[in-house]
Amino acid sequence: MNIPVEPYRIKVVESLRRIPRREREAVLRKAGYNVFNIPAEKVFIDLLTDSGTSAMSDRQWAGLMVGDESYAGARSFFNLERTVRRVFGFKHVIPTHQGRAAERILFQALVHKGDTVPNNIHFDTTRANVEVLGAEALDLAAREAYDPDDELPFKGNMDVGRLEDAIKRRGRKRIPLVMMTVTNNSGGGQPVSLDNIRRVRAVCRKHKIPFFLDACRFAENAYFIREREKGCARTSVAEIAREAFSLADGATMSAKKDALVNIGGFIALNDDRLAGRLKELLIIGEGFPTYGGLAGRDLEAMARGLEEVLEPDYLEHRIGQVRYLAALLEKERIPYFKPCGGHAVYILADRFLPHLPRNRYPAWALTTALYREAGVRAVEIGGVMFGRKDKGGREVYPALELVRLCVPRRVYTVSHLQYVAEALAELYKRREKIRGLRIVSQSPYLRHFTARFEEV
Ligand code: F0G
């Protein structure tokens, strides 16, 4: 197994404290067995998300100092605009405070009640932003996206035949746009191939439907394309990313991922009229179009991060860390979604805890057990996050019951990853002792953020 040697050295450190097990137990109880409710100080290693958790470089920190805080026409905005135009290739750059604000504004402009928005698999906030407008969020990932064992190179791909069917069935007027999430976060962080993006674009073009990429992890997706797609090995990741964007009409971006910043996002697109409408909506909710809910220094850090994320050494280490963690789990025969994704390893919790039925939320139970065991925080992507009631009031569960071990960018070292793997190995040995949970309270949208549980 190749050790992913960090292509950076440490200049500033942030202390971590591992509180005793008894205290973790009390924290868990107080949090209603929901790791979102645990104060971060009580977490030793935080693999909840790769979003907004990156370590910025010395260059980015230096950028904060020279950020231009002007309300209108800040220099930092133009730096960002120039960089996004170069990296993404779109004409208009509309900053937002994070990805979901980009989604909300784009959907407000395009989506109406009764519409359908196809995607390979919607991320939870994307789905919520579609549904809150009374529209349907339709997941059209290819069948292999739900098969955790098949080691195919592009399990994030959309099923183009089903997209055609959906357009035929709903009529193109009811499909205001098609989205494609790269990499496919809710489906194991799997990449989408250039070929698939081309085919989806061809369908969209034929029916004159706008096609947008949810581009949070565009660099990781491009890395996989370079590694796995025929004819791409000699093309740079930057060129591959440009090619992917050239096939779309625009993109929404959570800069909290592949722009290596702690806050930020944007919409990038070519259509002048739509851009004008988006800016109107932006002003109401986010801010003037040259800052969009961010400080000038944030724009500066984003511009610098977008350059660093495409550096070959960075990406090799980044993907290498995730692969290293997967290899450690493999050695312990811990079941995980294969191949591992670009930003995370996803444990197959229903196989890890086969004694727990779906209505006892095995993946959720594993996140609480992992915290109790080792102070490690992971996130459930399963029955709590995506479960819903059918017409008869019965709960329906998503195909996959996953625990995502999400690796923040440039934050943890090899020994941290080893610690996590050891904790999981320990739990795996005593897995039949892990108890299921029942929901005590929940909210109608995005219930996983606030639901409270008790152990059964
Ligand atoms: N799209 C995808 C694919 C995402 O993974 C996320 C966020 C968003 C959109 C929304 O971006 O958080 O900046 O508003 N994903 C985070 C995660 C929260 O943990 O996977 P945001």
Side-chain angles (χ1 to χ4, degrees), residues 148-162:
D149 301 306
D150 204 343
E151 297 224 29
L152 291 168
F154 293 108
K155 290 169 83 169
N157 283 353
M158 189 181 282
D159 185 328
V160 182
R162 282 179 68 206

Side-chain angles (χ1 to χ4, degrees), residues 78-90:
F78 296 114
N79 287 347
L80 175 70
E81 187 184 55
R82 210 177 311 114
T83 307
V84 174
R85 280 181 178 161
R86 185 161 43 74
V87 174
F88 285 55
F90 295 114

Side-chain angles (χ1 to χ4, degrees), residues 48-51 97-101 103 121-126 181-186 214-217 252-257 264-265 343 379 381 404 406 449:
L48 185 73
T49 180
D50 62 330
S51 183
H97 80 277
Q98 62 183 79
R100 68 198 69 182
E103 293 159 8
I121 301 185
H122 289 80
F123 184 65
D124 60 351
T125 61
T126 324
T181 307
V182 300
T183 58
N184 185 20
N185 186 15
S186 305
D214 177 340
C216 316
R217 300 181 180 86
T252 56
M253 177 74 186
S254 167
K256 300 171 74 172
K257 285 86 167 171
H343 63 299
V379 72
I381 300 194
R404 185 182 70 170
C406 206
F449 288 133

